[in-house]
Amino acid sequence: MHHSPDRLFDRFYDGFLFDMDGTLLNSIAAAERVWSRWALRHGLDLETFLPTMHGKRGIDTISALNLPGIDVVKEALEVERGEIEDLDGIVPIPGAIAFLTSLPAERWAIVTSAPSALARARIGAAGLPQPLQIVTAEDVKIGKPDPAGYRLGAQKLGVDPSRCLVFEDVLAGVRAGEAAGADVAVITATHAHPFDTPHPTIATYERLRVAFEPSQGLRIAPAG
C-alpha cells in the first residue's frame, strides 16, 4: 500500500538523511552487472540472489550466504573494486540534484551501505552534490537494518534522530530509519516490486520543494 506524502508537508525537521542507491541515484544496472558476475562464479541462482543484495553492505550480503571456503572480506573488496570500475549508466533520481542543492549543506547527510570510495564515485557519476557529511559501510560495525548508520548520520549533523526525515527505497533501510526513531519517506522511482509500507511514498523529487525556517527547520512542500 502506498501513502500520499501530504502528511510530510506540515512537519518541520532539523535534518534530512538520505540513503544513496535507489534513493538519490539509480545504480541498479551497474550493481547487478557486477554482482551477477560474482554470483555466477559462485554458482548462485541470479533470480533468487539479486533481489537480496540491494540496500545492504556487500560484506553483510556475502556473509549471509554462508558459502564454504571463502574469505568474506576478500570477496567483498573484489566486488567493491568491480563496482568502482563500473559506473556506466548511473543517473540521478529525477529532481534529486535540484532538491539537494536547495537544502542548507549542513542540514543533510547521506547514509549508505556502500563503501566510501564507491559512494563518492557514484555520487560524482550521477552529478549529485557531494555531501558535507556521509556515513558509509566503514563507519558502522553492523549495516542496515541496524539503526547505527542513521543514528550516526544524525549525530554528524548535530541533531536528534527523532527530528530527522529519512529517505529510503528498500525495506532494510526503512527498518533502520524506524529503529533510529526517525520519520521515513519511501522513494519509489526504482521499484520494480513495490513493498507495502505505512510510510509516505514519493515517486521522484520533481514535484517537491523545501522551505527552510532557521527557527523551525526544514519542511517539504509541493512545488508550484
Side-chain angles (χ1 to χ4, degrees), residues 24 30 47 75 79 102 107 111 119 138 154 199 208 211 216 219:
L24 289 175
E47 191 173 343
E75 297 291 333
V79 172
S102 73
R107 293 277 188 153
V111 179
E138 295 94 339
H199 300 292
L208 301 177
Q216 295 179 287
R219 181 172 63 85

Side-chain angles (χ1 to χ4, degrees), residues 8-221:
L8 294 175
F9 297 159
D10 60 356
R11 299 203 61 180
F12 283 92
Y13 297 95
D14 292 337
F16 286 171
L17 301 172
F18 297 88
D19 173 55
M20 183 184 72
D21 294 293
T23 299
L24 289 175
L25 57 86
N26 187 342
S27 60
I28 289 176
E32 291 196 347
R33 280 194 299 270
V34 175
W35 278 100
S36 291
R37 288 195 295 270
W38 181 86
L40 289 171
R41 195 161 64 251
H42 290 280
L44 301 177
D45 177 69
L46 292 185
E47 191 173 343
T48 303
F49 169 70
L50 287 179
T52 71
M53 43 68 62
H54 294 290
K56 293 181 284 188
R57 298 190 307 170
I59 196 166
D60 294 333
T61 295
I62 297 170
S63 295
L65 292 169
N66 293 313
L67 297 174
I70 69 164
D71 182 329
V72 172
V73 173
K74 181 180 177 182
E75 297 291 333
L77 287 172
E78 179 186 327
V79 172
E80 179 188 346
R81 281 194 297 272
E83 291 189 299
I84 291 172
E85 291 168 1
D86 189 347
L87 302 174
D88 188 41
I90 292 177
V91 294
I93 299 299
I97 294 173
F99 190 80
L100 290 179
T101 54
S102 73
L103 299 175
E106 71 281 2
R107 293 277 188 153
W108 67 277
I110 287 177
V111 179
T112 176
S113 298
S116 179
L118 176 60
R120 293 292 188 182
R122 284 185 174 167
I123 291 166
L128 297 169
Q130 293 282 352
L132 294 181
Q133 301 293 345
I134 187 168
V135 176
T136 64
E138 295 94 339
D139 297 319
V140 295
K141 292 181 179 178
I142 307 174
K144 302 171 185 178
D146 190 271
Y150 281 119
R151 288 175 178 160
L152 180 56
Q155 181 183 327
K156 283 175 173 275
L157 295 181
V159 301
D160 192 281
S162 66
R163 292 280 301 160
C164 288
L165 177 60
V166 163
F167 295 78
E168 265 289 353
D169 73 304
V170 296
L171 191 55
V174 168
R175 287 176 174 162
E178 291 171 342
D183 282 357
V184 178
V186 178
I187 305 299
T188 62
T190 62
H191 284 195
H193 306 287
F195 57 89
D196 288 342
T197 177
H199 300 292
T201 58
I202 297 168
T204 72
Y205 302 89
E206 290 178 295
R207 297 179 183 174
L208 301 177
R209 65 181 180 85
V210 178
F212 175 58
E213 299 289 341
S215 61
Q216 295 179 287
L218 302 166
R219 181 172 63 85
I220 296 177

